[in-house]
Amino acid sequence: MGKKGKKKSKETGTPDVQKFKKTREFWLLKECVTIQESLPFVAMDVLDDLAFMKVARFLNMVGLLAEHLQVNTKKDYRFNYHHKYLAPTPQFFPFGYDVDVIRQARLVQEKPGITYNGQEYQFAESLRTLSEKFLKEIDSYMTKIASEIEPRLKDDFATGLKRFKVDLKEDLEIFDQMWIKYEQEYVKARHEILTQVFQQVDRLVTLEMMLTQAEERLDVEAKQALENELVREIEKFTRYLCPDLPHEDFPEDVIPLAEACIFYESKCTEEWLHLAKYLIKDYLELRIYISKIPEERLKPQLKENQQLMRLLRSFHESVLASRVALDFVSRLPRLIHAKTSNWMTKKLLEPDLRYIQKTAHL
């Protein structure tokens, strides 16, 4: 006798329900109920990485269900209040519910402020109160959503599939509004703090842009004034991030004098020329990096941006190493009175820099 095949489990429910059970949406409902059984209380429990992963998975399911049921609320504030220098670049069409909002709400609830680069920035008391309320509401609604779904899975949507979807959509819309109300206040508060964190960065980006524009206009006086201002800001910023550096101040007119070393090469020693060229290279690399910050973004803990830190230190060392050469050319006629063409600009020198970078390992 041949082996009997496994008995197929009998499909239950109306034809619509049977069809629905084969969809992704039905799987999401089952997953919501399964995950909710082991969910922690985000308002009070101690949450380890595993607990946060469970909450993140549940929120992911809820977000996908909200999409299926067309809970289409705009969340443009996520983009609008994502700081222009903050990495990573924000999503252009944000949706769903990020577990990091819960993580941050707990942080706001537990601590009076957040520390960036050794400085503490205070949260408003109103945000702390809002965070506490939000976390309790999240606990309540994560339980409510799953408890609305579970009986309907067991009774094959006895109240009707259409009615179930209408009821679930109402619950998800309330959850969505509750989430938006808190997240919007949080991202506004975070943006205010990050504006302070990135204040010096913004100053560097603005000065570099103004300098580039002066170079394009061939406005030499403005170029030299902006070079000096940019270098002063870089020196200040570097000392802020690297307090261990030597306490010697930069000389005046660093970049105009470095350019003068090249112009007066016949009066300079080989060593001075070599140091001036390295200084210009390090300056140019740093400028190019600064110009790309709005596109490539930064971590708010500024020391974690390794390339930035390396470029700042290299430029600082090159300036101090070139002091004797810069001091010598400072006694010669000022460059603006002696030079008439081929002014040193980022655009002019970028091809040379790319060549140096490509051949540095040879």
Side-chain angles (χ1 to χ4, degrees), residues 15-31 65 68 153 157 161 164-165:
D16 277 355
V17 168
Q18 289 180 22
K19 187 179 176 184
F20 178 65
K21 285 181 178 179
K22 296 180 175 70
T23 64
R24 183 174 183 232
E25 193 178 346
F26 180 74
W27 178 83
L28 291 173
L29 294 172
K30 287 176 70 177
E31 195 70 5
L65 282 170
H68 272 297
L153 293 179
F157 306 95
L161 192 55
F164 166 76
K165 288 187 178 184

Side-chain angles (χ1 to χ4, degrees), residues 198-288:
F198 288 122
Q199 191 171 12
Q200 286 175 281
V201 172
D202 187 57
R203 179 78 179 135
L204 293 178
V205 171
T206 303
L207 284 171
E208 200 291 321
M209 184 177 65
M210 290 168 66
L211 174 53
T212 299
Q213 290 167 351
E215 289 176 344
E216 288 168 354
R217 296 192 308 271
L218 291 177
D219 184 342
V220 177
E221 281 192 37
K223 163 182 136 64
Q224 291 191 334
L226 286 162
E227 282 171 343
N228 289 336
E229 201 172 346
L230 178 60
V231 167
R232 278 193 296 271
E233 290 297 325
I234 289 171
E235 181 184 17
K236 195 191 307 179
F237 187 52
T238 307
R239 288 195 183 285
Y240 168 63
L241 293 179
C242 312
D244 58 309
L245 287 171
H247 294 295
E248 300 164 69
D249 291 336
F250 282 5
E252 293 293 317
D253 303 323
V254 169
I255 301 306
L257 290 177
E259 186 172 358
C261 284
I262 309 303
F263 182 75
Y264 290 119
E265 63 177 325
S266 61
K267 298 179 187 297
C268 292
T269 66
E270 282 296 320
E271 184 188 0
W272 290 351
L273 273 174
H274 179 75
L275 290 169
K277 285 175 183 177
Y278 256 92
L279 170 55
I280 291 167
K281 179 189 82 71
D282 290 341
Y283 162 73
L284 194 58
E285 282 183 329
L286 182 54
R287 264 192 70 185
I288 291 168

